[in-house]
Amino acid sequence: MTQAQQIKEGYPDFCMLDSINEDIFMANLKQRFAADHIYTLIGEQVVSVNPFAKRNLYTPEIMKSYNDKYMYEVPPHIYSLADDTYRQLTTTKENQCVIITGESGAGKTEASKIFLQYIAAACTGRGVGGSKATPISSHSSARAEAEKIMEKLLDSNPVLEAFGNAKTLRNDNSSRFGKFMQIQFDGAAKPLGGMITQYLLEKSRVHSRATGERSFHIFYQLLSQKQEPDLLKRLQLVSDPLQYQYLKLSTCTTVPSIDDAADWKEVNKAMVALGWGEGERFSVWKILSAILHLGNIEFQADDKKSSVDSVVIKNKSEMEKAAAMLEVPTGMLQQALTSRSITSGAGRRQSSIMVLLDKAQAEVTRDALAKHLYNRLFSYVVDRINYVLVAGGGKKDAPPVELTIGVLDIYGFEIFENNSFEQFCINWCNERLQQLFIKLVLKQEQEEYMREGIEWKEIDYFNNAPIIDLIEASPIGLIKMVDEACMVGQSTPDSLLQKLNQNFAKHPNYQSYETTNDKSIGRTHFRINHYAGQVTYDLEHFLYKNRDTLFGDLVASMRASTNKLVKDLFPADPAEATSKKIPLTSASQFKIALQDLINILASCQPHYIRCIKSNDEKRGGYLADERVRHQVRYLNLVETVRVRRAGFCNRQPFVRFLARYKMISDKTWPIWRGSLSDGVKAIAQAVVPSHEFNSEIKLGKTKIFIKSARTLFLFEDHRTKHLPKVAIMIQKVFKGYKTRKWYKAELERLRREKEQLEKTLVLKRAAWKITKAYTMWRYKRHFRNLRKTHGQPPTYGKGTPIPSIWPSHRSLVDDFIVKHHIQHWARVKVKTLNPEGQALVRQKILTSDIFGLGPNKNKAWESRRRFTADYLNVNENPRASQFETAVNILFQKGGDSEILFADNIVKVNPRGKSQARVIIVTNSNVYKYEPKKYTVRKIGIPLQTITGIYLSKVQDTYCVITLKPPERDVVIDVGGWMGSGIERVSELVTVIYQQIERLTGSKIPVHFKDQIEFNNSRDAKNKGLDCVINFAINPKPNERGSFFVKGKGNSCSILYSKDNY
């Protein structure tokens, strides 16, 4: 890209900007977005702006263009980051990780998919073949195994999205859980498997969420199966989501951008590919069905127990359906939903009492069971996928995992109208990731500067350590205080808020109504000044969600299930009954998991994709300035540019710089034989003025550092100017080399070819002379032997057999002699005939060509009889004189001069009736006559209007003569006249075929088919009816001949006898 293009379309790397602040950053981002560039770099990081529109950026051709290219050599793309990640894995042999950050709807999930697709192609050699970063692409068996592993990783995406994603107000496909996917490799960077770790599923979404949002996709996909009513019937479900309280409560069941039915098919296909059997999948569907039925359970006051506030289930049918799906005792589930057991004491002193629940408590208990069921089901789904993905299937003899690439797709920073415990944990996680990001970036920069011997300057940046201390410091931190409140049974949101106010009133990042008198903060709310902005949290359900209690009665009822999957979701723990340990709260569990994740990421070489949501309306191609500016602030992108630049906008290894720019200097072009650093210095001195050299260029130990984008463009401009002459010189040298090489090779080839041709010609001439002499000798010997055997040459009259002395085992020469002998015999024999006889022989030969002979015959019978042509002007015809008179009249009026064929036939009329007729074929026309008085029925049919002749392959004698529309096709039986038992259809077809060829010079097609189509009812005014003839054996065996039968509609049949002809 030239400097003019950079100015017009924006800089592809923010580090190229001469100066940096928020306004300059936004101007460049908007400029690139307007030019349809959604990716921009910050050094090796990719900033991705969700355009909410399809972009043609992910084709195999584009993917291949990023293969084995450094990030600064190609336009910004996730592909370039993926290629760099895999290259680092193969060259440094260090674990890699990609951290994808951004708020909900910024495109993190799509970015992770794009990254994985490239890695899958890179490490299998599929789509980006020929790379240095594709070490196994040349081994077909290894590549097939690698492709299989990567396909399983990609197949896990639709399953995880179905169970873990949902439609929110900001995003139609929002991840409601954190996902860290690790691709496992051996020491040669061959993929072995993978592992997925999930964090903090938003399980409360099962029973509560904001209006306009949806529950998890899988519920709607399951109910979309109208084509599979049997499945819904077995699950006791209906396809209408509004029939289920858990789905209708947010008034949103369909999303224009989501096709639930299509996604259901994709999920099932992926589950099958990942090894789920039909029984396993059905067990999952049963649990989903049970959750929906649980949500429909309603409670009402128990009138029989007026002294205590208790409830009974109002609609027991829903409870019975849930119990049936979970395969638990109905009574046990009913009791667990309406009461709870409280155990006191231990050992022999242990006692248990039953406490009845009021309506509110029963509803909370019901919802707790539903969300815990779903949460454990989701964990099972992840574990089941890991079982298939993990390297070697978890076997002891599996190859060791030596390298990994981790992809972190985790919830973005969230600020909703009502922010609860889930948003607190999500934003806490993002605070830790932001802290890690700053530390790792600074660490990378500092290490590179020290490694290259460049002076390091301290950089100011926003440090969010005080916010993290506020949240998780010990002994006084928000998490610690929330956990302590959960241990005290009498704690309430108000009492917790008072403690928070007492401890954090003076903290700069904590606010509440009591500490600030800010009326925008509710009475049971507190506010934290996060790095991404202020977020107000509602404490109303903090304690309940942090305790995350599931009563023992519900657990016991699940363990009583006869369904293996349900029992596995609630495994029995023998130490559980005697343990005095307080169960870990949700916050404590999340803190441990989060710390493990941070430790893993800190041990990897990090790469970053920073995702930005262009607008909240999901409008394609629209960038909302303030909305994006806010994300730029809380993602600390401006500070990231400052850190990354550290005074230099670009750095390149000596070897790459020298290879790219060596044509600029006469000292380095075309071949540089000195050290890399001296070569780089010579190029830089040829471009950068001497008075600017020290300020613009720094040479490290292995890299050159360029201060400003202006200087970098200067190198590119000089390179662009020198490329034409370089290209001309390369072309000249290469063309000269190729031409000389071709000339020498061609000269040698022609010499060898000439020698070979001369040898071949000599051999051919010798072989031809030998063959000719031997053949003539064999000819002479054959005819001498023939004369000895048969005497003088015999006459060639009718019935004279061909004299032969063929040997029983003939050679090729014998076959040649026999062939020519037979041809000679036939030629001499035909020449003895008069012209009429010769014409008849030719006609019979044509018949055999059309109808075939022996095993190659087209009809069930063979035509071996003598052709008479005129079967009416004979003594056997009592009306021969009338026929002769009719023919004379025909010749006088019609101009015809010769009768080629005449006979009695049976014709099928437009109504399907068979009629006796006479057919006369002259040299020009075909005529149909009335057989009694020989009166012509209609004008003649010119032979030129015939388009084809159709016959069957069986014993009948019918044929269909097709004519050019609007003339009617002719269906006739030539051989069925008064049961004559003589087929004459072969003669008629041959005569018509032969005469049309004489008249037009072209041959009409003759078809032999099992079904024949015709139309004998059309005329100039109407199209008539296209009919189809089928052929069948006559069920009356005593009837000889062929019979036409008109069926219903356009179907017709011709019945024939097997004994015909």
Side-chain angles (χ1 to χ4, degrees):
M1 186 180 286
T2 64
Q3 188 169 4
Q5 286 177 303
Q6 307 273 16
I7 295 171
K8 182 180 179 182
E9 300 181 4
Y11 291 94
D13 191 333
F14 287 108
C15 295
M16 292 181 175
L17 296 168
D18 290 331
S19 58
I20 185 66
N21 58 43
E22 187 178 287
D23 291 335
I24 295 173
F25 186 98
M26 284 297 300
N28 190 65
L29 188 69
K30 288 192 286 187
Q31 197 172 357
R32 286 187 60 76
F33 190 80
D36 225 16
H37 299 308
I38 62 173
Y39 298 120
T40 311
L41 297 179
I42 301 178
E44 283 81 30
Q45 300 176 33
V46 175
V47 177
S48 170
V49 183
N50 186 350
F52 290 107
K54 296 286 185 182
R55 292 289 186 270
N56 189 32
L57 297 174
Y58 313 105
T59 63
E61 292 74 22
I62 292 176
M63 183 184 289
K64 188 175 288 188
S65 69
Y66 284 86
N67 177 231
D68 200 30
K69 296 288 195 303
Y70 281 79
M71 295 183 73
Y72 56 79
E73 295 179 325
V74 285
H77 202 293
I78 292 176
Y79 288 162
S80 62
L81 182 136
D83 190 79
D84 183 67
T85 303
Y86 191 66
R87 184 188 301 108
Q88 295 292 335
L89 181 83
T90 57
T91 56
T92 67
K93 302 300 180 182
E94 294 180 7
N95 293 335
Q96 310 289 311
C97 69
V98 178
I99 302 173
I100 306 174
T101 57
E103 68 173 51
S104 179
K108 299 187 300 301
T109 299
E110 287 302 314
S112 70
K113 289 181 188 176
I114 296 165
F115 178 87
L116 285 174
Q117 285 167 357
Y118 188 92
I119 293 295
C123 66
T124 60
R126 180 184 58 196
V128 291
S131 167
K132 295 176 185 177
T134 54
I136 66 169
S137 63
S138 60
H139 306 291
S140 58
S141 59
R143 180 169 61 186
E145 183 64 25
E147 285 182 1
K148 186 177 178 181
I149 291 167
M150 295 308 298
E151 282 173 3
K152 288 179 180 178
L153 282 166
L154 295 175
D155 282 336
S156 68
N157 273 325
V159 180
L160 291 172
E161 285 188 18
F163 284 88
N165 288 24
K167 188 250 186 229
T168 64
L169 295 176
R170 293 186 175 180
N171 184 5
D172 288 349
N173 188 32
S174 175
S175 295
R176 307 317 300 161
F177 71 106
K179 177 179 68 175
F180 184 53
M181 177 181 284
Q182 289 177 293
I183 311 171
Q184 301 166 330
F185 300 86
D186 64 10
K190 169 191 169 184
L192 300 175
M195 178 172 287
I196 298 168
T197 307
Q198 61 98 359
Y199 301 93
L200 194 67
L201 177 72
E202 189 191 10
K203 55 193 173 190
S204 61
R205 178 166 290 271
V206 171
H207 62 78
S208 62
R209 56 196 167 273
T211 301
E213 296 189 344
R214 291 206 316 178
S215 185
F216 296 101
H217 293 324
I218 190 64
F219 288 110
Y220 306 93
Q221 292 172 5
L222 177 61
L223 297 182
S224 70
Q225 299 316 298
K226 295 179 181 178
Q227 291 81 14
E228 296 185 40
D230 289 342
L231 175 62
L232 295 180
K233 186 177 180 180
R234 290 170 66 194
L235 297 173
Q236 301 186 48
L237 294 173
V238 294
S239 60
D240 183 9
L242 295 176
Q243 298 301 313
Y244 301 100
Q245 184 62 29
Y246 279 166
L247 302 184
K248 78 173 184 178
L249 60 90
S250 54
T251 68
C252 178
T253 58
T254 58
V255 183
S257 62
I258 295 176
D259 185 342
D260 291 314
D263 290 344
W264 167 263
K265 293 179 181 178
E266 186 177 1
V267 169
N268 267 278
K269 181 180 177 182
M271 292 178 79
V272 171
L274 291 169
W276 258 289
E278 185 177 354
E280 286 181 292
R281 282 179 285 135
F282 188 66
S283 293
V284 173
W285 311 147
K286 287 178 73 173
I287 293 176
L288 295 176
S289 172
I291 291 171
L292 293 179
H293 289 308
L294 282 172
N296 280 1
I297 294 177
E298 298 177 5
F299 303 95
Q300 64 182 12
D302 188 354
D303 297 333
K304 297 179 181 180
K305 299 176 182 177
S306 57
S307 60
V308 62
D309 195 359
S310 61
V311 295
V312 294
I313 294 177
K314 183 179 178 181
N315 50 345
K316 290 186 178 181
S317 62
E318 292 292 342
M319 189 268 296
E320 290 169 353
K321 291 177 183 178
M325 292 298 105
L326 295 171
E327 298 182 38
V328 300
T330 305
M332 194 174 184
L333 178 60
Q334 179 177 348
Q335 183 175 334
L337 290 173
T338 56
S339 65
R340 60 172 292 203
S341 298
I342 299 179
T343 304
S344 61
R348 293 182 179 179
R349 296 183 179 182
Q350 188 178 39
S351 61
S352 177
I353 60 172
M354 180 181 292
V355 178
L356 299 177
L357 304 178
D358 60 23
K359 184 176 181 182
Q361 292 170 333
E363 289 174 347
V364 168
T365 302
R366 175 200 63 197
D367 294 343
L369 176 59
K371 71 179 182 181
H372 274 273
L373 266 173
Y374 192 82
N375 186 52
R376 296 184 186 214
L377 178 64
F378 184 72
S379 297
Y380 155 78
V381 169
V382 175
D383 292 342
R384 184 65 178 74
I385 292 173
N386 283 335
Y387 175 76
V388 177
L389 295 182
V390 70
K395 298 176 182 177
K396 291 183 179 180
D397 59 346
V401 176
E402 299 183 40
L403 300 169
T404 62
I405 293 178
V407 182
L408 180 64
D409 174 11
I410 205 160
Y411 10 65
F413 199 87
E414 292 190 346
I415 307 175
F416 293 150
E417 203 171 303
N418 183 40
N419 301 288
S420 189
F421 181 75
E422 292 86 0
Q423 281 67 47
F424 174 75
C425 291
I426 288 171
N427 295 340
W428 169 25
C429 174
N430 278 273
E431 288 284 358
R432 289 297 306 272
L433 290 175
Q434 176 65 16
Q435 184 184 49
L436 176 69
F437 167 74
I438 292 296
K439 285 182 179 179
L440 290 178
V441 170
L442 286 173
K443 182 182 176 183
Q444 281 181 323
E445 290 296 307
Q446 188 174 11
E447 286 179 351
E448 183 174 30
Y449 275 58
M450 292 176 64
R451 192 167 54 245
E452 294 294 328
I454 305 295
E455 182 182 355
W456 169 258
K457 295 180 182 179
E458 291 296 330
I459 301 167
D460 293 331
Y461 65 93
F462 175 77
N463 189 350
N464 65 341
I467 303 173
I468 294 174
D469 288 340
L470 168 66
I471 295 172
E472 58 181 54
S474 184
I476 300 176
L478 276 169
I479 296 299
K480 196 74 174 176
M481 300 190 71
V482 172
D483 282 352
E484 288 177 357
C486 289
M487 297 179 194
V488 180
Q490 302 301 318
S491 293
T492 64
D494 290 330
S495 64
L496 174 59
L497 184 59
Q498 288 178 7
K499 287 190 176 183
L500 295 180
N501 290 336
Q502 290 171 9
N503 287 279
F504 305 121
K506 295 182 180 180
H507 197 288
N509 296 303
Y510 174 86
Q511 296 175 7
S512 69
Y513 174 77
E514 186 176 322
T515 61
T516 62
N517 288 325
D518 186 346
K519 294 182 179 180
S520 64
I521 305 175
R523 296 282 182 175
T524 59
H525 294 64
F526 70 94
R527 179 180 292 163
I528 294 180
N529 296 324
H530 287 284
Y531 79 92
Q534 293 182 335
V535 183
T536 302
Y537 297 101
D538 186 354
L539 278 171
E540 182 66 30
H541 299 292
F542 253 63
L543 297 178
Y544 165 70
K545 292 179 179 180
N546 191 37
R547 290 191 185 106
D548 199 22
T549 305
L550 185 65
F551 295 147
D553 305 63
L554 291 172
V555 175
S557 66
M558 294 301 105
R559 288 175 181 168
S561 172
T562 57
N563 184 299
K564 183 180 182 302
L565 178 56
V566 175
K567 292 188 75 168
D568 290 344
L569 296 183
F570 295 86
D573 185 1
E576 186 179 300
T578 59
S579 176
K580 295 182 179 181
K581 286 185 178 180
I582 299 173
L584 288 176
T585 62
S586 292
S588 296
Q589 295 177 40
F590 185 66
K591 183 178 180 180
I592 294 170
L594 181 58
Q595 188 58 50
D596 290 341
L597 174 64
I598 295 298
N599 292 339
I600 293 172
L601 296 178
S603 66
C604 299
Q605 190 171 347
H607 307 263
Y608 300 92
I609 301 175
R610 320 300 296 278
C611 298
I612 292 176
K613 188 176 184 180
S614 58
N615 63 82
D616 286 331
E617 295 80 25
K618 303 170 190 171
R619 284 171 53 189
Y622 168 64
L623 190 143
D625 185 276
E626 283 304 317
R627 188 72 184 81
V628 172
R629 192 179 290 267
H630 173 71
Q631 295 171 76
V632 168
R633 289 192 198 113
Y634 79 65
L635 287 172
N636 277 329
L637 295 184
V638 175
E639 285 77 7
T640 303
V641 176
R642 291 196 182 106
V643 170
R644 185 63 182 78
R645 278 168 54 112
F648 298 97
C649 79
N650 185 264
R651 64 208 72 184
Q652 297 183 36
F654 286 157
V655 63
R656 303 289 288 191
F657 185 87
L658 186 62
R660 184 170 180 81
Y661 299 111
K662 67 177 183 178
M663 74 287 297
I664 292 175
S665 171
D666 293 335
K667 296 179 180 179
T668 56
W669 178 259
I671 300 174
W672 173 252
R673 303 187 186 279
S675 67
L676 289 174
S677 59
D678 290 342
V680 170
K681 187 175 181 179
I683 295 169
Q685 288 175 338
V687 174
V688 182
S690 57
H691 64 279
E692 293 183 359
F693 189 87
N694 291 332
S695 60
E696 287 291 322
I697 301 295
K698 294 291 182 186
L699 297 179
K701 295 177 182 178
T702 63
K703 291 183 179 181
I704 178 175
F705 293 77
I706 302 170
K707 184 174 182 59
S708 65
R710 176 180 56 81
T711 302
L712 178 62
F713 291 140
L714 199 59
F715 282 111
E716 286 296 321
D717 289 343
H718 276 72
R719 181 175 182 271
T720 303
K721 290 177 183 177
H722 283 79
L723 278 178
K725 70 175 185 181
V726 171
I728 291 171
M729 183 172 65
I730 292 172
Q731 289 174 355
K732 180 182 72 174
V733 173
F734 183 73
K735 287 179 179 178
Y737 162 75
K738 289 288 288 183
T739 303
R740 286 190 296 274
K741 184 179 179 181
W742 173 86
Y743 176 77
K744 291 177 181 179
E746 187 69 10
L747 197 63
E748 179 63 20
R749 186 188 67 79
L750 290 172
R751 185 187 63 77
R752 289 196 306 268
E753 190 175 287
K754 180 182 177 183
E755 290 179 358
Q756 188 62 36
L757 285 173
E758 288 174 348
K759 290 178 182 178
T760 304
L761 189 59
V762 170
L763 291 174
K764 282 185 175 182
R765 285 173 179 168
W768 181 80
K769 286 182 179 179
I770 293 170
T771 303
K772 181 180 178 182
Y774 178 73
T775 304
M776 291 303 297
W777 174 77
R778 288 294 302 272
Y779 262 114
K780 291 176 182 178
R781 191 183 75 168
H782 172 76
F783 284 105
R784 279 198 303 269
N785 293 338
L786 187 65
R787 190 173 288 109
K788 289 178 183 178
T789 304
H790 296 282
Q792 292 302 316
T795 61
Y796 294 95
K798 180 179 178 181
T800 304
I802 300 176
S804 63
I805 52 170
W806 319 135
S808 58
H809 300 287
R810 299 203 297 254
S811 65
L812 291 175
V813 175
D814 289 326
D815 289 338
F816 187 72
I817 294 172
V818 168
K819 177 182 174 183
H820 281 270
H821 186 182
I822 293 173
Q823 289 177 347
H824 166 74
W825 181 266
R827 185 164 51 252
V828 173
K829 190 169 183 177
V830 170
K831 282 184 178 179
T832 62
L833 302 176
N834 59 28
E836 183 182 353
Q838 291 183 15
L840 188 59
V841 169
R842 292 189 182 93
Q843 192 178 52
K844 291 293 289 183
I845 292 172
L846 178 60
T847 303
S848 66
D849 288 343
I850 296 173
F851 285 82
L853 291 173
N856 299 320
K857 62 186 178 183
N858 294 318
K859 287 289 285 185
W861 38 257
E862 292 184 3
S863 177
R864 294 185 177 275
R865 66 177 183 79
R866 179 181 178 84
F867 289 173
T868 305
D870 188 350
Y871 295 92
L872 298 179
N873 193 15
V874 293
N875 296 330
E876 290 80 4
N877 184 7
R879 291 188 290 275
S881 58
Q882 292 176 275
F883 172 75
E884 187 175 351
T885 303
V887 169
N888 289 331
I889 295 171
L890 173 65
F891 284 179
Q892 292 172 5
K893 291 184 177 180
D896 301 88
S897 59
E898 183 182 3
I899 292 180
L900 303 178
F901 182 84
D903 196 8
N904 292 304
I905 61 166
V906 176
K907 172 218 170 195
V908 179
N909 68 16
R911 295 186 299 278
K913 301 296 183 181
S914 297
Q915 297 174 326
R917 289 287 183 270
V918 168
I919 187 168
I920 299 175
V921 180
T922 70
N923 58 305
S924 300
N925 300 285
V926 177
Y927 296 94
K928 289 176 288 183
Y929 274 72
E930 191 274 327
K932 292 182 179 180
K933 298 181 179 180
Y934 294 111
T935 55
V936 66
R937 298 295 297 175
K938 290 186 178 180
I939 61 173
I941 301 172
L943 289 171
Q944 291 91 332
T945 62
I946 297 176
T947 59
I949 301 175
Y950 291 81
L951 303 100
S952 75
K953 299 178 181 180
V954 294
Q955 287 94 332
D956 69 294
T957 51
Y958 272 85
C959 74
V960 175
I961 302 173
T962 57
L963 306 175
K964 296 177 182 178
E967 294 296 330
R968 296 173 178 172
D969 297 339
V970 178
V971 182
I972 56 176
D973 179 10
V974 189
W977 172 259
M978 298 180 69
S980 65
I982 301 173
E983 74 81 16
R984 291 171 182 157
V985 67
S986 58
E987 183 176 358
L988 172 65
V989 171
T990 303
V991 166
I992 294 175
Y993 183 97
Q994 193 175 40
Q995 186 60 20
I996 290 177
E997 186 176 6
R998 289 188 190 129
L999 293 174
T1000 64
S1002 59
K1003 300 176 181 179
I1004 62 166
V1006 179
H1007 303 281
F1008 295 86
K1009 291 192 170 185
D1010 296 325
Q1011 280 188 338
I1012 300 177
E1013 296 181 2
F1014 70 94
N1015 188 330
N1016 68 342
S1017 57
R1018 65 180 172 232
D1019 55 30
K1021 295 182 179 180
N1022 63 78
K1023 296 181 179 179
L1025 179 66
D1026 292 331
C1027 298
V1028 178
I1029 300 175
N1030 292 291
F1031 298 85
I1033 297 174
N1034 194 335
K1036 300 177 181 179
N1038 296 327
E1039 290 185 350
R1040 289 178 58 80
S1042 306
F1043 303 94
F1044 183 90
V1045 180
K1046 181 74 171 72
K1048 294 182 179 180
N1050 69 336
S1051 66
C1052 307
S1053 298
I1054 289 179
L1055 304 179
Y1056 63 91
S1057 172
K1058 276 190 173 183
D1059 299 329
N1060 282 356
Y1061 322 112

